[in-house]
């Protein structure tokens, strides 16, 4: 039986090609899918079939996916951190230049001029003084969030001779290695806002980051500062931003998330969510999401999950069980006891945890019977039990 993949958006062909036709059925109208592959489709309120074993998003944010509900069912949710980092970095830099040199109002000014070339030239010379900007080496960039995108932005800004300070209390060892030593560490967010002329935010949207950029923090900025938001709309308090623009605390707000009030504001530059809108980024995200989904379905390994821990166990036996469960005492012992009842040897095992969830992979020297599988399912705290199929090469 082939794996069935339900697509909820158009997915780049480069990603779909990762699913061999002899092992996968991929379509937008599958009724009992094993996996779901999507980009921006809103899954909240959607009836997710009980057959779904994993969900993969070709993108970083997962606000459109009911992660908590899927976690309760033992379903890992995958995303693609870093796959669109270069695309977003380039857009952030473009936004920075737009603000620094007042390019949008300057272009609008020229577009509205009438007359001969000579009259146009005279008007251009007379009007250009109203669009005087600033040069980047005279400014300090504050980077809030040092994940894949934030680190690339910070490093690129150093290359433009800006002073760069960054803040991320949860920076990973991998990102720390990737970040230039020239990026200075801020003590906290207030410290960053006090010292930065330009702030760019690169955090996910969750309970800790909602309205992270608020009225109090904006007041800490020097007058005529610039704020860039290519992360998530809710990370920034839009009402506070408009007040700061009106008061001159901010000279520009550049964002990928327009609102009715923002798009009419003369100091706001609103773009139509272009962060990952390059052919390269769409392909990178599609490939990464497809590979994570494929490896989980075929091998039971977990990479790039937002709700379950990283779990990679090399496979040298055909009989493998994949068991997501609650992170509570005695779970592994009960799983092994259930297997031992059938007198099957465990050849290898991996157990990892993340928060309240754990994931156990068990390789056996022989196939487990349905009775053994049911004994494991009956253990309190077990979310699901899956026999990982043997894939013929």
């Amino acid at each position: 039986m082939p794996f069935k993949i339900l697509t909820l958006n158009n997915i780049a062909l480069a990603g779909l090609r990762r699913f061999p036709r002899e092992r996968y059925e991929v379509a937008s109208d599958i009724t009992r899918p094993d996996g779901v592959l999507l980009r921006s489709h809103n899954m909240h309120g959607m009836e997710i079939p009980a057959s779904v074993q994993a969900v993969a998003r070709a993108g970083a944010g997962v606000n459109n996916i009911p992660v908590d509900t899927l976690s309760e069912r033992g379903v890992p949710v995958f995303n693609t951190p870093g796959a669109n980092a270069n695309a977003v970095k380039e857009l952030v830099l473009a936004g920075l230049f737009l603000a620094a040199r007042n390019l949008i109002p300057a272009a609008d000014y020229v577009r509205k001029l009438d007359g001969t070339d000579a009259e146009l030239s005279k008007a251009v010379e007379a009007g250009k003084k109203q669009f005087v900007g600033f040069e980047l080496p005279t400014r300090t960039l504050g980077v809030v969030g040092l994940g894949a995108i934030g680190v690339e932005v910070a490093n690129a800004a150093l290359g433009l001779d800006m002073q760069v300070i960054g803040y991320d209390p949860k920076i990973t060892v991998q990102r720390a290695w990737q970040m230039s030593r020239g990026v200075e560490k801020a003590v906290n967010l207030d410290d960053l806002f006090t010292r930065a002329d330009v702030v760019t935010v690169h955090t996910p949207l969750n309970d800790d980051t909602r309205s992270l950029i608020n009225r109090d923090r904006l007041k800490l900025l020097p007058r005529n500062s610039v704020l860039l938001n290519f992360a998530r709309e809710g990370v920034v308090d839009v009402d506070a931003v408009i007040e700061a623009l009106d008061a001159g605390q901010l000279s520009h707000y550049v964002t990928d998330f327009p609102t009715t009030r923002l798009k009419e504001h003369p100091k706001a530059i609103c773009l139509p969510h272009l962060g990952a809108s390059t052919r390269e980024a769409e392909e990178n995200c599609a490939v990464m999401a497809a590979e994570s989904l494929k490896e989980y379905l075929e091998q039971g390994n977990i990479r790039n999950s937002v709700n379950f821990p990283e779990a990679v166990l090399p496979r040298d036996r055909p009989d493998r069980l994949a068991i997501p469960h609650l992170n509570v005492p005695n779970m592994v012992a009960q799983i092994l006891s259930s297997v031992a009842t059938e007198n099957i040897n465990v050849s290898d095992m991996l157990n990892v945890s993340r928060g309240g969830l754990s994931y156990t992979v068990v390789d056996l020297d022989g196939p487990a019977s349905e009775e053994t599988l049911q004994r494991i399912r009956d253990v309190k705290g077990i979310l699901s039990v899956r026999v990982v199929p043997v894939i013929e090469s």
Side-chain angles (χ1 to χ4, degrees):
M1 289 286 291
F3 292 110
K4 296 182 178 181
I5 307 298
L6 172 66
T7 57
L8 297 178
N9 295 102
N10 291 327
I11 304 297
L13 188 59
L16 298 180
R17 285 174 175 160
R18 299 295 170 133
F19 299 113
R21 291 184 178 181
E22 63 272 17
R23 299 204 301 270
Y24 287 88
E25 178 184 348
V26 183
S28 60
D29 57 354
I30 290 176
T31 55
R32 291 185 54 79
D34 299 292
V36 176
L37 184 60
L38 74 158
R39 291 188 359 254
S40 58
H41 183 91
N42 188 354
M43 294 184 69
H44 292 282
M46 168 184 169
E47 186 175 345
I48 302 173
S51 60
V52 171
Q53 300 171 28
V55 174
R57 179 173 188 261
V62 291
N63 303 89
N64 57 319
I65 301 172
V67 177
D68 290 344
T69 299
L70 291 168
S71 296
E72 292 171 0
R73 291 168 49 171
V75 176
V77 176
F78 302 104
N79 69 343
T80 57
N84 61 3
N86 185 71
V88 179
K89 175 201 73 178
E90 290 183 357
L91 189 62
V92 171
L93 296 178
L96 179 56
F97 282 114
L98 290 178
R101 300 304 298 272
N102 293 303
L103 295 178
I104 297 295
D108 287 342
Y109 170 77
V110 172
R111 188 177 295 110
K112 294 173 182 176
L113 294 176
D114 294 319
T116 65
D117 284 350
E119 291 169 334
L120 180 65
S121 179
K122 184 177 180 179
V124 165
E125 290 302 316
K128 69 181 183 181
K129 66 184 69 174
Q130 62 187 297
F131 306 113
V132 173
F134 62 84
E135 295 184 22
L136 300 185
T138 67
R139 296 296 192 270
T140 296
L141 176 69
V143 183
V144 180
L146 295 168
I149 297 170
V151 166
E152 288 211 18
V153 170
N155 291 345
L158 283 175
L160 296 170
D161 292 329
M162 297 186 77
Q163 303 297 313
V164 182
I165 56 177
Y167 179 73
D168 189 337
K170 297 180 180 179
I171 186 172
T172 65
V173 173
Q174 178 186 2
R175 300 305 175 204
W177 275 107
Q178 293 169 342
M179 188 168 63
S180 170
R181 287 184 293 176
V183 178
E184 187 178 347
K185 178 185 176 183
V187 176
N188 51 42
L189 271 181
D190 289 352
D191 176 45
L192 182 145
F193 272 75
T194 301
R195 298 161 58 194
D197 305 293
V198 181
V199 171
T200 180
V201 57
H202 300 287
T203 68
L205 178 61
N206 51 45
D207 291 340
D208 294 329
T209 62
R210 192 175 301 278
S211 294
L212 187 72
I213 313 303
N214 52 39
R215 185 173 290 103
D216 291 338
R217 290 215 165 92
L218 291 174
K219 288 179 179 177
L220 298 174
L221 289 170
R223 285 187 63 80
N224 294 314
S225 295
V226 174
L227 176 64
L228 305 131
N229 177 19
F230 291 90
R232 285 291 179 268
E233 179 181 355
V235 173
V236 171
D237 182 340
V238 172
D239 289 337
V241 165
I242 291 175
E243 289 178 17
L245 291 171
D246 291 340
Q249 196 73 33
L250 290 176
S251 64
H252 291 87
Y253 177 51
V254 190
T255 183
D256 229 6
F257 310 101
T259 68
T260 303
R261 294 175 65 197
L262 279 174
K263 75 181 185 66
E264 302 297 338
H265 201 289
K267 294 183 179 180
I269 301 173
C270 296
L271 304 175
H273 204 179
L274 296 176
S277 294
T278 66
R279 287 186 294 273
E280 294 86 349
E282 289 179 358
E283 290 186 355
N284 290 343
C285 288
V287 168
M288 190 171 179
E291 286 293 343
S292 294
L293 190 56
K294 178 182 173 185
E295 185 172 8
Y296 180 74
L297 293 176
E298 294 188 2
Q299 303 298 333
N301 290 332
I302 295 178
R303 301 179 194 265
N304 302 313
S305 174
V306 301
N307 56 341
F308 276 88
E310 188 98 347
V312 179
L313 182 66
R315 190 175 185 182
D316 59 3
R317 294 287 193 280
D319 298 293
R320 168 169 286 191
L321 303 181
I323 309 168
H325 54 86
L326 299 181
N327 184 17
V328 294
N330 203 38
M331 294 300 291
V332 172
Q334 293 182 82
I335 292 170
L336 296 182
S337 176
S338 298
V339 172
T341 301
E342 199 171 347
N343 200 30
I344 300 176
N345 185 54
V346 174
S347 62
D348 206 351
M349 188 191 76
L350 173 69
N351 173 256
V352 285
S353 301
R354 178 178 178 177
L357 296 174
S358 289
Y359 184 68
T360 299
V361 181
V362 182
D363 283 349
L364 306 173
D365 281 344
S369 67
E370 182 56 40
E371 289 78 9
T372 294
L373 298 178
Q374 190 58 51
R375 276 195 297 270
I376 299 174
R377 293 189 186 103
D378 289 341
V379 173
K380 185 177 180 180
I382 294 292
L383 300 177
S384 68
V385 179
R386 184 166 72 96
V387 177
V388 182
V390 178
I391 305 299
E392 300 293 339
S393 57

